[in-house]
């Protein structure tokens, strides 16, 4: 555990887009300090942040409390296990795992090591307590999800891992829609079935458009489309039922809970990411699993991504 007054030392592993977003979220914080960055590409500068000589050096460094794994998702679980066994807390970028079995293995080792493991599915922090506490088990609930963010065809070939399904674990769904799919799963529960329309790919296994329907164990359904081919940027999730309704439009949350309407302000992404780190720090202090960012809550969205790849 980490004492309440102690600054949490973070090692960011991988300093591409995600790694730099983690550093931005922690910049200026009095609770956290980026004590090391691991980046194999010498062409990528880490700026004023100290560059660690190697991954092994981070594992051996007693000052590192928490490791943020911002590497491509394929194979990342093995590094998480190494870090947990070395006594570090671990925060995974999304998508978190190759399979539910991989999630189970990481959660099991985290429990054995007495260190928390979480996932940067920061949109979970958008859901107010009133929404989370509401009853979303009605089988008549139906949802729609639309995620669109343009990526040029060259984007997927710019770095080798983005065109490799074993490393990237997918395309538009795994890297753009994963956050909102996870958000839907936080409310609707475990997916029981998946139906897909014909999609489009930049490379085999790297989707640029996917459309389908997910059925949940409760009987609720969610239709979704994720695309990186459209010019417009849009992130919209709606869940509609006879008593409770939810809408998340580009980060703004509105809901009707038991006939009471409410709307909550849009929180910027750097703040949400810092809140995930604060959630991890609280788990390190208390010895409990992270309240919001816990990895075991990512089993449902991992099951969906696994089914999509299959």
């Amino acid at each position: 555990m980490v004492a309440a007054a102690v600054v949490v030392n973070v090692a960011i592993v991988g300093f591409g887009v995600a790694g730099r977003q983690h550093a931005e979220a922690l910049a200026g914080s009095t609770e956290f300090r980026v004590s090391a960055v691991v980046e194999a590409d010498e062409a990528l500068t880490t700026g004023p942040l100290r560059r660690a000589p190697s991954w092994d050096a981070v594992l051996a460094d007693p000052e590192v409390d928490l490791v943020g794994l911002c590497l491509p998702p394929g194979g990342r679980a093995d590094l998480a296990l190494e870090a947990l066994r070395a006594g570090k807390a671990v925060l995974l970028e999304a998508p978190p795992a190759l399979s539910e079995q991989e999630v189970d293995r990481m959660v099991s080792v985290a429990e054995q090591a007495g260190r928390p493991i979480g996932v940067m599915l920061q949109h979970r922090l958008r859901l107010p307590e009133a929404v989370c506490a509401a009853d979303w088990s009605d089988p008549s609930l139906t949802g729609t999800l639309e995620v669109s963010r343009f990526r040029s065809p060259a984007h997927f070939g710019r770095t080798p891992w983005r065109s490799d399904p074993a490393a990237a674990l997918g395309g538009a769904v795994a890297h753009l829609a994963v956050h909102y799919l996870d958000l839907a799963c936080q409310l609707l529960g475990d997916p029981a079935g998946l139906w897909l329309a014909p999609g489009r790919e930049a490379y085999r296994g790297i989707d640029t458009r996917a459309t389908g329907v997910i059925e949940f164990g409760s009987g609720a359904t969610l239709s979704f489309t994720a695309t990186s081919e459209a010019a417009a940027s849009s992130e919209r999730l709606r869940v509609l039922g006879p008593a409770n309704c939810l809408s998340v439009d580009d980060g703004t949350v509105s809901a009707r809970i038991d006939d009471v309407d409410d709307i909550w302000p849009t929180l910027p992404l750097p703040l949400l990411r810092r809140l995930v780190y604060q959630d991890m720090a609280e788990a390190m202090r208390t010895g409990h699993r992270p309240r919001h960012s816990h990895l075991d809550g990512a089993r449902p969205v991992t099951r969906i991504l696994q089914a999509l790849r299959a």
Side-chain angles (χ1 to χ4, degrees):
M1 296 185 191
V2 174
V6 174
V7 173
V8 176
N9 287 309
V10 178
I12 296 175
V13 184
F15 209 61
V17 173
R20 294 192 293 273
Q21 288 172 341
H22 282 231
E24 177 191 12
L26 298 177
S29 171
T30 58
E31 303 168 81
F32 302 92
R33 181 174 74 93
V34 180
S35 60
V37 173
V38 179
E39 175 51 61
D41 187 352
E42 294 294 336
L44 286 179
T45 178
T46 62
L49 301 176
R50 182 179 74 87
R51 196 171 195 136
S54 67
W55 167 243
D56 288 340
V58 165
L59 294 181
D61 188 344
E63 291 192 358
V64 172
D65 305 305
L66 171 60
V67 172
L69 288 177
C70 301
L71 297 168
R76 196 165 50 196
D78 290 336
L79 297 179
L81 297 178
E82 289 181 23
L84 290 167
R85 289 169 178 146
K88 317 299 184 187
V90 173
L91 180 60
L92 298 163
E93 253 300 335
L98 176 67
S99 64
E100 286 187 89
Q101 291 75 20
E102 206 169 67
V103 170
D104 290 340
R105 190 163 68 252
M106 287 188 281
V107 169
S108 176
V109 172
E111 291 173 349
Q112 293 167 17
R115 295 293 184 271
I117 185 166
V119 59
M120 185 58 85
L121 287 166
Q122 66 271 8
H123 289 278
R124 292 179 187 177
L125 277 300
R126 293 198 187 281
L127 293 181
E129 292 291 341
V131 171
C132 294
D135 182 5
W136 300 96
S137 62
D138 193 309
S140 69
L141 285 168
T142 183
T144 59
L145 172 62
E146 168 195 292
V147 177
S148 171
R149 203 179 312 162
F150 180 72
R151 296 288 185 267
S152 71
H155 169 82
F156 298 97
R158 191 170 296 141
T159 52
W161 71 268
R162 291 190 183 278
S163 59
D164 178 2
L169 305 187
V173 177
H175 293 273
L176 302 182
V178 60
H179 295 277
Y180 277 81
L181 281 174
D182 174 75
L183 207 57
C185 290
Q186 299 307 306
L187 300 179
L188 301 178
D190 289 333
L194 171 69
W195 293 266
L196 287 176
R200 288 170 57 82
E201 296 181 323
Y203 297 88
R204 184 170 179 82
I206 307 297
D207 57 283
T208 55
R209 187 195 70 197
T211 299
V213 177
I214 301 165
E215 181 184 11
F216 293 84
S218 65
T221 60
L222 176 77
S223 59
F224 72 92
T225 292
T227 179
S228 60
E229 298 183 335
S233 290
S234 175
E235 295 177 337
R236 297 182 180 182
L237 171 66
R238 283 179 172 79
V239 179
L240 306 175
N244 300 327
C245 301
L246 171 78
S247 178
V248 186
D249 289 319
D250 294 324
T252 299
V253 177
S254 57
R256 169 171 286 190
I257 307 295
D258 296 327
D259 295 325
V260 177
D261 292 314
D262 211 338
I263 187 168
W264 292 266
T266 305
L267 299 177
L269 284 171
L271 173 58
L272 289 176
R273 295 188 183 102
R274 183 180 290 194
L275 290 174
V276 170
Y277 270 98
Q278 290 174 345
D279 191 35
M280 289 294 296
E282 180 64 18
M284 294 164 71
R285 286 190 286 267
T286 63
H288 300 143
R289 77 174 193 177
R291 183 183 178 197
H292 300 287
S293 55
H294 49 87
L295 177 60
D296 47 351
R299 286 188 181 93
V301 74
T302 300
R303 185 185 307 170
I304 292 170
L305 296 180
Q306 190 175 0
L308 280 165
R309 290 194 302 275

